[in-house]
Amino acid sequence: MGESRTELLAWLNELLQINYTKVEQCGTGGAYCQIMDSIFGDVPMTRVKMNAKHEYEFIANFKILQNIFRQHKVEKPILVEKLVKCKMQDNLEFLQWAKRFWDTNYGGQGYDPVARRRGAPTDTPATIAPLAPSRGSGGNLHAGGSRQGGRTPVTGHRAGSTQPNEAVQNLQAQLRDMNIHLEGLEKERDFYFAKLRDIEILVQQQMDVLLSEEKDDVTLRDIQKILYSTEEGFEVPDALVDEEETF
């Protein structure tokens, strides 16, 4: 039987000099990468985002982990699509495996986790998995708990001259948070678009090879249909069509 959550977190925090309070925080992928670094010593920790907060950042961390597994021939499937959801059970099972792997393969050499990640911050939010704030009071719908009381002065508790300025500051703060969130969504969109583009090129290259050999592959054609299918009413922008025709 594997270690309990409390035991695993105590081991993880001591090994990596971090302050995780929930197993779900491992779903960002950063801790798993550094566990492997403590064993192999060659994980590119400068590319690992230990304080990742967006799913596309989690996926990038797991991509690094997959490369390390491939490089060292670690035959352990990484269910990225489940782990990045930061659910307790999925990450508990993977962390238990990581601990057993570490017990078997760690050579006892000295390891400085803070130096290896060059002092990068590790403040992954403990609420990232359950997203508990969404069930809180109505004030939590604002762009940050510390600003939810920003409406109080409008009731006349302070001098009227300060009310407009405070309201503007609250709106500006919300706008900044929305811009940060939008930037994250755009990066995530570009990340997945690049992957789909790689798949498209790979499929087309294989189709060209089959065509030259006068062969066919139903599966590849089905993949192409999925890639090129559009929803009803959707039209590809002219600029994008012109760009694709230049290839």
Side-chain angles (χ1 to χ4, degrees):
M1 184 175 179
E3 290 91 338
S4 67
R5 283 178 286 174
T6 302
E7 292 170 332
L8 286 169
L9 286 172
W11 164 75
L12 186 68
N13 287 333
E14 181 179 0
L15 175 66
L16 304 184
Q17 294 299 294
I18 56 180
N19 191 31
Y20 279 15
T21 58
K22 294 184 178 181
V23 171
E24 293 92 322
Q25 290 171 271
C26 294
T28 65
Y32 296 136
C33 286
Q34 193 155 22
I35 291 172
M36 294 301 120
D37 186 64
S38 71
I39 298 172
F40 301 120
D42 60 355
V43 176
M45 289 304 301
T46 54
R47 290 170 49 201
V48 176
K49 193 169 181 61
M50 293 295 292
N51 65 336
K53 294 177 176 63
H54 300 287
E55 188 169 311
Y56 72 88
E57 295 173 322
F58 305 168
I59 293 173
N61 284 345
F62 277 106
K63 181 66 175 178
I64 295 172
L65 186 65
Q66 288 176 324
N67 289 337
I68 291 298
F69 276 27
R70 190 178 304 112
Q71 179 181 336
H72 292 280
K73 297 180 172 56
V74 179
E75 297 181 358
K76 168 67 176 177
I78 304 176
L79 303 179
V80 178
E81 67 279 3
K82 289 187 177 181
L83 293 170
V84 297
K85 299 304 179 185
C86 297
K87 296 297 179 63
M88 190 278 291
Q89 189 60 38
D90 295 321
N91 281 280
L92 177 61
E93 292 175 2
F94 196 82
L95 186 58
Q96 287 174 333
W97 172 86
K99 176 60 163 61
R100 291 194 299 271
F101 186 83
W102 186 87
D103 288 338
T104 302
N105 295 279
Y106 181 62
Q109 66 275 15
Y111 183 71
D112 187 342
V114 178
R116 282 293 294 154
R117 59 180 178 258
R118 298 186 180 180
T122 61
D123 54 337
T124 297
T127 57
I128 193 168
L131 297 176
S134 64
R135 297 197 302 267
S137 62
N140 283 338
L141 294 175
H142 291 265
S146 63
R147 290 188 295 274
Q148 66 182 3
R151 297 173 297 172
T152 303
V154 180
T155 62
H157 182 68
R158 294 183 183 177
S161 60
T162 66
Q163 294 172 11
N165 288 337
E166 191 159 349
V168 169
Q169 289 175 0
N170 285 337
L171 289 172
Q172 289 176 336
Q174 292 182 41
L175 181 60
R176 284 195 298 270
D177 285 351
M178 290 175 67
N179 285 334
I180 292 173
H181 181 62
L182 178 60
E183 182 181 352
L185 290 174
E186 289 176 343
K187 288 182 179 179
E188 188 171 1
R189 176 203 63 193
D190 294 343
F191 176 82
Y192 285 112
F193 178 82
K195 284 191 172 296
L196 286 172
R197 181 60 177 150
D198 290 341
I199 294 172
E200 179 187 14
I201 293 172
L202 184 62
V203 170
Q204 187 58 55
Q205 289 175 342
Q206 188 61 30
M207 290 293 292
D208 291 342
V209 172
L210 292 174
L211 183 62
S212 66
E213 297 174 353
E214 297 184 350
K215 296 180 181 179
D216 193 15
D217 190 306
V218 176
T219 301
L220 289 179
R221 290 196 178 279
D222 287 342
I223 293 174
Q224 279 190 324
K225 287 180 182 178
I226 294 172
L227 288 172
Y228 298 142
S229 65
T230 59
E231 294 184 2
E232 185 178 354
F234 174 82
E235 294 183 3
V236 179
D238 294 338
L240 182 57
V241 173
D242 293 340
E243 180 181 346
E244 290 180 348
E245 290 177 348
T246 60
F247 290 128

